[in-house]
Amino acid sequence: MSKKIQEKLEHKEKLAEKRDRMLRHDFSAERAVFEEVFDQATLMVIYDFLNNGILYELHGVVNAGKEARVYWGKDKDGNDLAVKIYLTTAAEFRKGRLKYIEGDHRFKNVKRDTRSLVFAWAQKEFKNLEQAYNAKVRVPKPIAVKDNVLVMEFIGKGGVNAPSLKEHPPSNAEKVYKLLLTYLHRLYCKADLVHGDLSEYNIMLWKGKPVIIDMAQAVPTSHPMAQFFLNRDIENINRFFVRLGVEVLSTGEIYKRIVG
Ligand SMILES: Nc1ncnc2c1ncn2[C@@H]1O[C@H](COP(=O)(O)OP(=O)(O)OP(=O)(O)O)[C@@H](O)[C@H]1O
Ligand SMILES: [Mg+2]
């Protein structure tokens, strides 16, 4: 056997070994789902993350939505990671998504086929997380993105994700509300972003504090719909906290403080 072929075989074996080490969860019962999420191209992206040391292990699923799945992973130091995989087969994907990409100057030249849009969507979430994180808005720290796979800080512990505000209304509601208003202000003024889908479903409660997630649809403040989205975000937050008995500021007042 030539040296080259032997090296190739060894490389393949090493890759398989790595994969087996990586897949710590027994996926056999979920075989069909597994194959839908981890198609060949997605597996190659995961291998890349293994080879460059970003990902060490992949455990079970944390949340299975229609368009994305979130998995629990670990890095080589044993830190928890969240691995969000966007399904490139989600037929519904185009619908409703284009308006968040059109009008976003960062994504002017994206191709319009579904696959390119899904990839752009993952890059967009990563960039948004990065801008928010740098502006000191509490979001999962973004770690890496490639194609349809996004790796970020895991909010929770030992594979158990923190609850959303919806699932676990905070006992310190006043404090959480005020923190959220601070984050909204930073998001707009420092990160130059509007979330666009903010509600009790997309805010997690971790160690008594809110963590804003699901940032893919967030748009720059220059987006033609940005002011509309901002008002809707504020209304959603107010509606939730009024029900918890918090004395909220009016939507107009908050809007003025953020934009004015
Ligand atoms: N960084 C994270 N750490 C821990 N859990 C997470 C993280 N990001 C997301 N999750 C979990 O996965 C769920 C779905 O994530 P996200 O909202 O980002 O995706 P989505 O595509 O909007 O899915 P859905 O339609 O189910 O909301 C969250 O509600 C949360 O429970
Ligand atoms: Mg969500």
Side-chain angles (χ1 to χ4, degrees), residues 18 40 55 65 74 86 90 93 95-96 104 122-123 127 141 150 163 185 192 197 200 213 216 222 231 249 258 260:
K18 267 192 173 174
Q40 201 63 32
L55 196 61
K74 273 177 188 266
Y86 283 97
F93 195 87
K95 260 199 240 155
D104 186 330
Q123 316 303 309
K127 273 200 175 139
K141 183 181 183 187
L150 167 69
H185 190 273
D192 190 38
D197 191 22
E200 60 272 29
I213 61 161
S222 64
N231 264 300
L249 296 169
I258 290 175

Side-chain angles (χ1 to χ4, degrees), residues 133-201:
Y133 188 82
N134 290 337
K136 298 206 159 35
V137 177
R138 183 64 176 109
V139 295
K141 183 181 183 187
I143 292 165
V145 67
K146 191 175 182 208
D147 297 348
N148 58 325
V149 185
L150 167 69
V151 182
M152 61 186 144
E153 174 192 358
F154 188 89
I155 307 300
K157 204 172 178 232
V160 181
N161 52 330
S164 64
L165 287 189
K166 174 71 186 174
E167 293 162 327
H168 194 295
S171 50
N172 54 344
E174 192 94 25
K175 181 184 151 197
V176 170
Y177 178 66
K178 286 203 171 129
L179 263 172
L180 281 170
L181 293 192
T182 307
Y183 293 160
L184 272 187
H185 190 273
R186 288 181 190 160
L187 195 63
Y188 192 91
C189 295
K190 295 208 174 111
D192 190 38
L193 288 174
V194 174
H195 186 284
D197 191 22
L198 202 61
S199 75
E200 60 272 29
Y201 293 92

Side-chain angles (χ1 to χ4, degrees), residues 16-35:
E17 222 178 273
K18 267 192 173 174
R19 181 198 54 210
D20 294 343
R21 196 181 63 215
M22 172 187 80
L23 296 174
R24 285 307 170 92
H25 179 77
D26 178 11
F27 288 96
S28 54
E30 311 143 28
R31 199 71 217 172
V33 171
F34 181 83
E35 265 151 29

Side-chain angles (χ1 to χ4, degrees), residues 62-71 81-84 86 97 121 125 139-141 152-156 160-164 167 197 201-204 211 213-217:
V62 174
N63 182 278
K66 269 202 310 276
E67 285 148 5
R69 294 222 154 80
V70 179
Y71 287 84
L81 297 171
V83 182
K84 188 169 178 177
Y86 283 97
R97 286 293 171 42
W121 201 244
E125 175 147 42
V139 295
K141 183 181 183 187
M152 61 186 144
E153 174 192 358
F154 188 89
I155 307 300
V160 181
N161 52 330
S164 64
E167 293 162 327
D197 191 22
Y201 293 92
N202 282 331
I203 301 169
M204 299 175 91
V211 183
I213 61 161
D214 205 357
M215 296 280 293
Q217 72 294 317

